[in-house]
Amino acid sequence: MAESHGICWLVAVAALAVSLLIFRRTGDGDASGAALGSGLMFDNIAPFYDLANKFMSLNMDQSWRRVLVDELELSRTEPLNILDIATGTGDVSILMAKKVRQLGNEAKTSIVALDPSPRMLDFARVKRSAEGFDNLITLQVGNAEEAEDLLQSGKLFNKMTISFGIRNFSNRQKALSAMRQALKHSHSSQLLILEFANPERGPLAPLARLFLQYAVPLLGSLVAGGHNAEYDHLRDSILNFPSPENFVAEMADAGFKDCQAKNVFFDVVYLFACRG
């Protein structure tokens, strides 16, 4: 069933990309002057971010995030200090908070949701309050490339997550090094990263590449009212991201242990997992 759904999804988006190419508007660049990939860039697209994600993924983005949360080994009794990096509008933080609540371990759990975009955190704040997690999730403006930003709370973390954000860092190795400093040195500690990849193999790879190259910037721009430069950047950041094997090697080089990559969706979405 999942495979059939995936094939239909790839065929549909590829056809949509081809049919809409003729209507692609040529933008004048990023009129705001925001550096592509920066917190200011995400400030610009924050009001459209969730809708664009759902539109471009045919509402599958949340199911991919649940794969990440399902991989987290959360205790029913032990203290949990969790850091969600590049939290955006807070979806993964909220999914983790729901799992913690189901386990009955709210009293011993702290979730810090970090993002460089204050406006994205404004939307996360609304979601957090609507779910009743104001006391469980702390929203924090910060840059994951700076160890001091990750350690603002004054404690190390035993769980660390990133969902579709690692490719936007200007210095990925510096960010991985900062994360290593902020993660407890324990085999029970986990770093989980959910990210897109440029599919290079498999019978559906050409369709997936067509989607990434054309549908992502086009559909994102249409939903976000013409923010062409921003969604061109999001496409390019996927196409330029290392292969799963090379990114696993980067994480290992940064000092993480037992790193591996799990193919979540047709070589387009991967879950990267490491131990502390």
Side-chain angles (χ1 to χ4, degrees):
M1 181 67 75
E3 182 176 354
S4 176
H5 187 188
I7 293 173
C8 291
W9 177 81
L10 288 172
V11 172
V13 295
L16 182 60
V18 172
S19 65
L20 290 177
L21 279 177
I22 191 171
F23 297 108
R24 176 76 193 274
R25 292 173 292 175
T26 303
D28 297 325
D30 183 11
S32 70
L36 295 176
S38 68
L40 183 54
M41 187 203 86
F42 282 98
D43 281 344
N44 293 337
I45 63 175
F48 323 102
Y49 184 76
D50 285 346
L51 180 59
N53 284 346
K54 293 183 185 303
F55 196 46
M56 290 186 294
S57 69
L58 297 188
N59 207 31
M60 296 182 68
D61 58 318
Q62 285 294 77
S63 67
W64 298 333
R65 290 184 179 93
R66 290 189 189 96
V67 173
L68 181 152
V69 174
D70 287 345
E71 289 289 325
L72 278 175
E73 299 165 1
L74 301 182
S75 171
R76 294 180 181 273
T77 57
E78 298 297 322
L80 295 169
N81 295 320
I82 304 172
L83 176 63
D84 184 31
I85 298 171
T87 193
T89 61
D91 285 338
V92 167
S93 292
I94 289 171
L95 287 173
M96 290 190 292
K98 288 180 177 178
K99 185 172 181 179
V100 168
R101 178 169 287 175
Q102 290 173 352
L103 293 171
N105 197 13
E106 284 186 74
K108 295 183 179 180
T109 299
S110 168
I111 300 174
V112 174
L114 181 82
D115 200 274
S117 166
R119 200 170 185 195
M120 293 285 271
L121 291 179
D122 286 341
F123 288 91
R125 187 170 293 106
V126 173
K127 292 182 180 179
R128 180 188 67 177
S129 296
E131 296 286 352
F133 291 133
D134 287 345
N135 294 327
L136 185 55
I137 301 174
T138 300
L139 303 177
Q140 180 176 301
V141 177
N143 182 352
E145 295 176 32
E146 304 298 335
E148 55 266 31
D149 283 6
L150 301 187
L151 294 168
Q152 284 183 44
S153 62
K155 58 189 175 187
L156 296 177
F157 299 91
N158 50 19
K159 308 293 177 183
M160 196 175 289
T161 61
I162 311 175
S163 175
F164 304 118
I166 187 69
R167 71 183 189 279
N168 288 307
F169 298 151
S170 59
N171 189 329
R172 192 167 54 247
Q173 282 301 326
K174 185 178 180 182
L176 288 171
S177 176
M179 293 175 213
R180 187 65 199 88
Q181 293 180 55
L183 188 68
K184 285 184 178 180
H185 288 253
S186 168
H187 188 72
S188 62
S189 299
Q190 292 176 280
L191 168 66
L192 297 179
I193 299 178
L194 191 66
E195 192 51 89
F196 290 112
N198 184 12
E200 298 177 349
R201 53 184 177 264
L204 297 177
L207 290 177
R209 286 195 297 270
L210 183 63
F211 166 66
L212 292 173
Q213 290 171 347
Y214 299 111
V216 165
L218 174 62
L219 298 179
S221 177
L222 289 174
V223 172
H227 284 269
N228 292 351
E230 288 88 341
Y231 282 95
D232 282 348
H233 163 75
L234 293 179
R235 171 203 60 200
D236 294 342
S237 68
I238 297 170
L239 297 177
N240 295 328
F241 194 68
S243 69
E245 295 81 5
N246 286 341
F247 185 57
V248 165
E250 285 187 13
M251 293 189 293
D253 288 342
F256 295 100
K257 305 299 182 184
D258 300 333
C259 297
Q260 53 188 302
K262 176 181 179 180
N263 184 359
V264 173
F265 186 79
F266 288 97
D267 294 304
V268 176
V269 180
Y270 275 82
L271 177 66
F272 301 93
C274 295
R275 296 283 179 179

